[in-house]
Amino acid sequence: MKRLPPTSGIARRFRLAIGALLAIALASCATTQAPDRAPDQATDQALCAVAGVRVELGFERAAAKACSIRRTQDGAKVIVRIAPEITPINPSPWYAFKLASGAARPVEVELRYLESAHRYQPWIKSGSSGWSRLAQAPQLREDGRVAGFTVDVDATGVTVAAQPIQTVAEALAPFKRQVAAGLLAETVLGVSHDGREIIGFETLPEAPSRMLVMMSRQHPPETTGAFAFDVFAARILSDTEDAAAFRRTTKLVFVPMTNPDGAVRGHWRGNARGVDINRDWGPFRQPEPRAIRDFVAARAGSVPVAGVLDFHSTQRSVVYAPPADRIADDLADAMLQNAARTLGADMPPISRAHNSNGGTSKGWALETYGVGGLTLEFADDADAAEITRQATAMADGVMAAAADADARGAAGVAGARRFLLTTPAGADLPIWYLRPETAGADAPVVFVMHGVGRDADRYLREWAPLAVAGGFIVVTPEMTQAAFPGADGYNLGAILDAKGATKPRDQWSYSVIEPAFDAVRQREQLTTERYSLYGHSAGAQFVHRFVLFTAGPRLREAVSANAGWYTAPTSTAEWPYGLRGAPAPIDVAAALSVPMTLLLGDADTDPNDPNLRTSPEAMKQGPFRFARGQFFYQSALEAAKAARVQANWSCVIAPGVGHDNGAAAAFAVPLLTGDDRPSAGTPCVRAATPASHASAG
């Protein structure tokens, strides 16, 4: 799978937990002025220096209020005072500074917090080595307002920070690479107070159905949220068929560094003016939210906003979502439901409190566009594996939610869903299905195989009313031409390769059904252990050969309706009209023991149907489909007699039904989900017209 490259080792920085969570105290005092200088405007700036030991702030993200140094018996002690850009403030006590010493020595460090308690366990970086978390937790005193630890320092210096540092350039770099690759377009959304560009990236699909907006780093220290944002983006920008299909119908907007001024300045929460911009999505007095608002609004006229995802960090993982009664058929909410099914107990809790006047991006999404805005908070101490698992499940969840919405639109069926099944040969097959509200965990599962048109969505539409009335789950695999070209690829099982050699069984078209059944069971948490299989026309050819070649290990019932021609279960004819020279072994006795019904429309009698095969071998089976079905059934009974086994096949005639899947389906339902199949091995019987008779869609 192709993913966004990690940003300057950010993935490595999270191989260990970020830090133990400690008590947070919110203190308030008189408001102070935010600093006028942006730290990236100076280099090699020493905050304090005594006896060859220096504390430096001359780098992006550096932050400390003041410091003092004194000699100790073994080296030196550095006291660094930590204060926010403004008060009162939510406590995200960021610090970052560099220690340097003319001689190698241990240096005691004491962090003294002026407006908060200690929250982030220190990370250190020396020389060219990567970031690593301090091995031992700091010693805390004065209710956590003082944190002490020791680091070894030499002339090359050691950088100490609350979290691994990701610069603005590093945050943007993976997205810029995708611009170079042609997948994204880059746009300057606006300019910050300090004159920095607020950069957005977007996909440009030809005819999108929706727009999804994603942002990160509203609050500069929130590194785990930024990492989750990168993982999420990598997943939906990957080259899998799921991601490619998602991008065809969903316009994506990314803002990786929403608050560049605050990040560069080393702020706790605010922008250059000290304003928490996630409280400004209503007044819109600050350039950062205003720029994103205007960018989205300019596109929302032609592409409706479907969701806004805002990635953050806090003391514990949690998702802040809109109240359930404010959203319906919502993409973001469906994403959460899908992710919860995947993650189980590892799914972060969901809080649905909502303040319409809170000024958050979540509130802006709901109040302006009526869609789910989510604040996705990832714990400070979450490690890379945990974040990756959660963010990946959410990315997969939003792609599945969009696919479901697209399926409902394409099939015209409320509740329809669609996912992609990757075959062992590497093909991605669309699997459409409908689970009615009345279908419980043990509901029957019916696979419906389409005809030569490969129109699985139409078949789902025709079967949907029957599934709703009968309380069963209907699944319609789309056996695409790309994966299974022509009749050889679909009807005849894709058994032979281009050179005429028999392919491995897991590459046959017949081998799609079992993994598709497992996928539906897993997605819907079903306890159903067996499935039924129905096919019409070319799908009927698929079904009866599926039975011949596989004997359906978990098949409950099969119905083959109105096939155009057949593979007789005898050796009197050459393959594919009989078993002589078949490309793989067939256990005739096992196949005949599978419960299968031939459903034959007595009005399917057009000898000139353009899709009817008219080869000499096919014509020996009869002039039209109704006759050929009777020929096939009779040959099966003769094969059972020759093998001295009891055939478990039966034959039902559907009165007045021509070559019409919708009409045949109504006759098939009681055969597939009930006990209405006639006695096996007896002559064809004429069915009564069903009470609910479906017509062609």
Side-chain angles (χ1 to χ4, degrees):
M1 178 182 296
K2 181 179 178 182
R3 297 195 177 192
L4 285 175
T7 57
S8 295
I10 189 171
R12 295 192 300 274
R13 301 167 190 164
F14 284 86
R15 293 190 187 279
L16 300 172
I18 290 177
L21 297 178
L22 301 168
I24 303 297
L26 177 61
S28 60
C29 63
T31 300
T32 61
Q33 182 65 36
D36 294 328
R37 178 194 56 79
D40 64 340
Q41 296 170 351
T43 59
D44 196 30
Q45 178 196 1
L47 185 63
C48 58
V50 173
V53 177
R54 293 162 54 88
V55 177
E56 299 174 358
L57 295 183
F59 57 92
E60 186 175 326
R61 304 294 305 279
K65 182 70 174 178
C67 73
S68 59
I69 303 174
R70 72 168 187 261
R71 294 185 182 88
T72 65
Q73 182 176 357
D74 297 325
K77 181 173 184 177
V78 175
I79 299 173
V80 180
R81 290 169 175 81
I82 311 299
E85 61 271 18
I86 197 169
T87 58
I89 193 169
N90 282 351
S92 300
W94 176 262
Y95 55 88
F97 52 88
K98 183 177 180 180
L99 296 172
S101 173
R105 69 181 81 186
V107 174
E108 296 179 45
V109 179
E110 187 173 274
L111 304 179
R112 293 189 177 181
Y113 295 92
L114 305 183
E115 297 293 338
S116 177
H118 181 74
R119 172 172 170 179
Y120 302 113
Q121 182 170 340
W123 288 71
I124 59 174
K125 183 179 186 296
S126 59
S128 60
S129 63
W131 288 95
S132 61
R133 198 172 65 176
L134 192 68
Q136 293 185 335
Q139 297 294 313
L140 303 180
R141 53 191 177 84
E142 297 183 22
D143 296 326
R145 288 179 173 269
V146 177
F149 53 92
T150 300
V151 294
D152 293 323
V153 181
D154 58 20
T156 61
V158 175
T159 302
V160 180
Q163 298 271 23
I165 291 176
Q166 182 192 44
T167 66
V168 171
E170 288 170 345
L172 300 177
F175 298 90
K176 287 180 176 288
R177 285 192 287 270
Q178 294 291 4
V179 172
L183 189 59
L184 294 175
E186 179 178 341
T187 303
V188 177
L189 310 184
V191 179
S192 70
H193 289 300
D194 280 343
R196 294 185 180 86
E197 293 179 339
I198 302 161
I199 304 294
F201 302 88
E202 61 181 321
T203 58
L204 301 172
E206 291 184 2
S209 302
R210 64 187 70 85
M211 175 166 48
L212 180 65
V213 181
M214 295 148 283
M215 69 186 81
S216 180
R217 293 284 193 187
Q218 287 211 70
H219 299 143
E222 297 179 358
T223 306
T224 53
F227 179 61
F229 177 87
D230 284 349
V231 172
F232 188 97
R235 190 72 167 182
I236 62 177
L237 290 173
S238 68
D239 59 1
T240 66
E241 181 56 34
D242 275 357
F246 177 57
R247 294 194 300 272
R248 283 192 292 270
T249 62
T250 306
K251 180 179 182 62
L252 306 176
V253 175
F254 302 95
V255 187
M257 183 58 72
T258 307
N259 183 4
D261 287 355
V264 169
R265 287 171 171 265
H267 283 185
W268 292 18
R269 302 275 291 186
N271 63 2
R273 300 288 173 82
V275 176
D276 184 341
I277 61 174
N278 202 31
R279 300 297 181 268
D280 188 53
W281 292 84
F284 291 104
R285 298 187 181 97
Q286 301 305 310
E288 299 89 354
R290 191 164 59 238
I292 298 172
R293 176 202 63 183
D294 293 347
F295 178 82
V296 172
R299 286 150 179 78
S302 57
V303 186
V305 176
V308 175
L309 309 182
D310 191 2
F311 289 76
H312 288 258
S313 305
T314 189
Q315 300 169 67
R316 66 184 183 94
S317 294
V318 63
V319 176
Y320 294 105
D325 60 357
R326 292 288 305 275
I327 51 177
D329 195 23
D330 184 75
L331 182 74
D333 208 57
M335 177 193 88
L336 295 180
Q337 295 175 31
N338 291 338
R341 281 194 290 267
T342 299
L343 293 171
D346 292 333
M347 178 69 185
I350 299 173
S351 171
R352 293 192 177 274
H354 175 65
N355 179 0
S356 60
N357 298 314
T360 62
S361 63
K362 175 174 75 75
W364 164 70
L366 183 59
E367 300 302 327
T368 303
Y369 295 108
V371 300
L374 303 181
T375 303
L376 304 168
E377 302 266 12
F378 294 84
D380 294 333
D381 63 348
D383 63 18
E386 178 183 358
I387 295 171
T388 299
R389 186 168 59 253
Q390 292 174 340
T392 299
M394 291 175 185
D396 290 345
V398 77
M399 290 190 289
D404 289 345
D406 294 337
R408 290 192 293 273
V413 176
R417 294 188 170 183
R418 175 180 172 272
F419 66 93
L420 295 176
L421 178 73
T422 302
T423 69
D428 288 310
L429 289 184
I431 308 294
W432 304 69
Y433 74 98
L434 172 67
R435 180 183 183 178
E437 293 182 357
T438 55
D442 60 348
V445 175
V446 176
F447 278 82
V448 172
M449 306 307 297
H450 55 64
V452 69
R454 316 278 180 134
D455 45 355
D457 55 340
R458 178 174 72 86
Y459 274 65
L460 182 68
R461 187 163 58 249
E462 292 177 348
W463 274 78
L466 301 170
V468 172
F472 62 87
I473 299 167
V474 59
V475 184
T476 60
E478 184 176 332
M479 309 295 282
T480 63
Q481 285 281 2
F484 300 110
D488 288 347
Y490 176 34
N491 317 15
L492 295 174
I495 297 174
L496 299 177
D497 64 18
K499 296 181 179 180
T502 301
K503 293 191 292 189
R505 274 186 176 264
D506 63 0
Q507 295 183 22
W508 298 0
S509 64
Y510 307 133
S511 297
V512 167
I513 303 302
E514 290 283 326
F517 179 52
D518 286 333
V520 172
R521 291 181 76 231
Q522 191 276 329
R523 287 171 65 90
E524 295 297 326
Q525 299 296 294
L526 303 178
T527 59
T528 310
E529 295 182 352
R530 305 178 72 190
Y531 58 86
S532 297
L533 180 64
Y534 165 92
H536 183 264
S537 193
Q541 294 190 45
F542 176 96
V543 168
H544 84 266
R545 294 188 186 104
F546 173 90
V547 170
L548 287 174
F549 279 100
T550 74
R554 290 187 287 176
L555 182 61
R556 179 182 181 272
E557 299 278 351
V559 171
S560 176
N562 294 335
W565 59 283
Y566 296 85
T567 298
T570 68
S571 298
T572 58
E574 289 281 347
W575 169 262
Y577 300 95
L579 302 185
R580 192 167 67 245
I586 292 177
D587 186 336
V588 174
L592 290 170
S593 70
V594 175
M596 181 168 72
T597 300
L598 298 183
L599 181 61
L600 309 176
D602 65 3
D604 198 350
T605 56
D606 182 1
N608 300 313
D609 187 321
N611 290 320
L612 184 68
R613 181 174 288 210
T614 56
S615 66
E617 296 86 355
M619 294 304 293
K620 289 179 181 179
Q621 297 181 359
F624 40 73
R625 293 184 181 88
F626 181 51
R628 292 178 185 183
Q630 295 177 81
F631 164 85
F632 175 64
Y633 182 59
Q634 187 59 40
S635 70
L637 297 185
E638 293 172 0
K641 183 177 180 181
R644 297 182 180 181
V645 297
Q646 175 62 46
N648 201 15
W649 295 8
S650 56
C651 176
V652 171
I653 296 173
V657 173
H659 199 62
D660 183 341
N661 167 68
F667 288 90
V669 169
L671 303 173
L672 293 162
T673 63
D675 298 315
D676 292 347
R677 195 165 69 94
S679 299
T682 59
C684 294
V685 299
R686 184 170 294 273
T689 301
S692 174
H693 194 284
S695 61

